[in-house]
Amino acid sequence: MTEEKQSNQKVPDIQPIQMVIITGMSGAGKTVALQSFEDMGYFCVDNLPPSLLPTLSELIKKSQDISRVCLVIDLRSREFFDEFVHAVTLLYKNPNVDLRVVYLDARDENLVARYKETRRNHPLQQEGGTILAGICKERESLLPVRTLSNLTIDTTSLKPKELRETLIREFSHNNQKTLSVEVMSFGFKYGLPIDADIVMDVRFLPNPHYIDDLRPLTGEDQRVYDYVMKQKETQEFYQKFIEMIDFTLPLYEDEGKASLTIAIGCTGGQHRSVSLARRIAHHISTQTHYRVHLSHRDKDKRQGTVNHS
């Protein structure tokens, strides 16, 4: 009976690791590509030696926290080419790895122009040789690598933003939220947040500080939140401000921005800014597809009774 029960038990499905390897011509956009995968939530490793691919895949398989990984492998020696072809062939056969190899390319004249713009030598450019000679040598060497790729992207006419958009369309999950929005409250008396993209001063709103039983509380307390939000000025301001946010967030996303910080400030960062930040974060999290995180920088920095938030 015990054996029968054991045989009928379902073995849980093991989802294969989603692995993306970015390779291709030097100067074709591998750095931009890696940053794009970081923004999509992939665990990213830059300039990994091909010989470490099997070891890394085994380590990732044992980790319960990593399900998607992106690697940039820069192939600049004959030894690396041979190791890469061997390692990728094995990974394609591995049922625990869902592998895709992205090969980035561009026309020779564009690669030459990019190297001249950055004033860098090509890694395969010999002393006294030209950038073009190094590019041609690399292109010939990479032929066997290109044949292993699932996806080849020609970045000749692509701006960095367009390459990012191409990769996101190809690799992001359905409905994945690519723009991360940080909504924070702060107090002007403690200084402006240096990393804010949008700063809104709400010191014109009625101040709960002047109500004795609300003064020691914060905007996280419901009584303070209700007091701030029921004011006519607050309601009118909120509607206009949230319309602006709804209008601008898609435009920031279209420009390729990965994160955006909206900072709401009052005098001490205790009452009004906290209440408004809560309301705005709730709207973004429930009415849009963006990821949102709420923080209150100065909520607990009270200094006796002189805090006029």
Side-chain angles (χ1 to χ4, degrees):
M1 186 64 117
T2 303
E3 292 180 356
E4 183 180 351
K5 284 185 178 180
Q6 290 178 344
S7 63
N8 289 334
Q9 288 180 344
K10 287 186 177 180
V11 179
D13 293 333
I14 300 177
Q15 296 297 323
I17 300 164
Q18 296 181 44
M19 180 179 291
V20 179
I21 296 177
I22 301 170
T23 188
M25 295 295 293
S26 301
K30 292 192 285 289
T31 299
V32 172
L34 186 67
Q35 292 169 349
S36 302
F37 279 96
E38 285 179 340
D39 293 340
M40 286 187 278
Y42 282 70
F43 175 79
C44 295
V45 180
D46 192 9
N47 205 17
L48 182 78
S51 59
L52 296 181
L53 264 174
T55 303
L56 180 66
S57 62
E58 288 300 315
L59 290 174
I60 293 173
K61 186 174 69 173
K62 295 177 182 178
S63 171
Q64 297 181 349
D65 300 324
I66 301 175
S67 60
R68 298 185 296 163
V69 61
C70 177
L71 314 170
V72 167
I73 298 183
D74 206 357
L75 304 172
R76 297 181 180 179
S77 73
R78 183 71 246 177
E79 178 186 359
F80 273 20
F81 294 145
D82 295 338
E83 290 176 350
F84 179 83
V85 172
H86 177 68
V88 167
T89 301
L90 291 178
L91 286 174
Y92 273 137
K93 297 177 180 178
N94 189 338
N96 296 317
V97 178
D98 180 9
L99 177 65
R100 297 189 68 181
V101 178
V102 179
Y103 187 95
L104 300 182
D105 201 353
R107 289 200 296 264
D108 289 350
E109 58 267 30
N110 290 82
L111 293 174
V112 170
R114 292 173 190 177
Y115 272 101
K116 284 185 176 294
E117 184 179 347
T118 60
R119 299 182 179 181
R120 295 174 53 230
N121 289 328
H122 188 277
L124 297 185
Q125 181 180 346
Q126 296 179 347
E127 186 175 353
T130 64
I131 294 174
L132 181 58
I135 291 172
C136 292
K137 183 178 179 181
E138 182 182 34
R139 188 178 298 284
E140 181 180 358
S141 300
L142 283 175
L143 281 175
V145 173
R146 181 166 183 162
T147 60
L148 288 173
S149 65
N150 308 98
L151 176 64
T152 298
I153 300 177
D154 186 343
T155 67
T156 298
S157 58
L158 293 182
K159 297 177 181 178
K161 172 194 169 187
E162 294 169 330
L163 173 58
R164 167 184 161 81
E165 291 172 348
T166 298
L167 292 169
I168 289 176
R169 283 196 303 269
E170 184 71 27
F171 289 94
S172 65
H173 288 174
N174 292 335
N175 300 320
Q176 184 179 8
K177 303 171 184 179
T178 56
L179 177 66
S180 176
V181 180
E182 171 82 14
V183 180
M184 67 179 300
S185 66
F186 73 96
F188 277 95
K189 67 189 295 183
Y190 302 111
L192 284 165
I194 61 174
D195 56 346
D197 299 290
I198 298 173
V199 177
M200 189 64 227
D201 182 353
V202 297
R203 287 177 291 186
F204 59 87
L205 296 177
N207 195 345
H209 171 82
Y210 297 108
I211 299 176
D212 291 341
D213 60 341
L214 297 182
R215 184 179 301 126
L217 306 178
T218 75
E220 289 194 319
D221 294 287
Q222 194 61 39
R223 282 196 297 156
V224 172
Y225 178 86
D226 290 342
Y227 173 86
V228 172
M229 297 310 303
K230 75 179 181 181
Q231 304 300 319
K232 179 181 177 181
E233 300 94 328
T234 305
Q235 294 174 13
E236 187 173 351
F237 160 73
Y238 173 78
Q239 290 302 323
K240 293 180 178 179
F241 185 74
I242 211 65
E243 285 177 9
M244 185 197 76
I245 293 300
D246 287 342
F247 172 75
T248 55
L249 287 185
L251 300 180
Y252 280 114
E253 186 177 40
D254 289 344
E255 281 300 309
K257 198 168 182 64
S259 62
L260 182 82
T261 298
I262 302 171
I264 309 297
C266 59
T267 304
Q270 180 182 343
H271 296 128
R272 293 167 290 181
S273 61
V274 174
S275 300
L276 264 298
R278 283 180 57 192
R279 179 75 180 272
I280 293 164
H282 176 74
H283 171 86
I284 295 173
S285 66
T286 58
Q287 302 300 318
T288 76
H289 67 277
Y290 304 112
R291 291 175 293 172
V292 64
H293 178 260
L294 174 65
S295 63
H296 304 297
R297 192 190 73 176
D298 304 321
K299 175 176 65 71
D300 298 317
K301 291 183 180 178
R302 304 175 197 165
Q303 299 177 354
T305 60
V306 296
N307 186 342
H308 301 291
S309 63

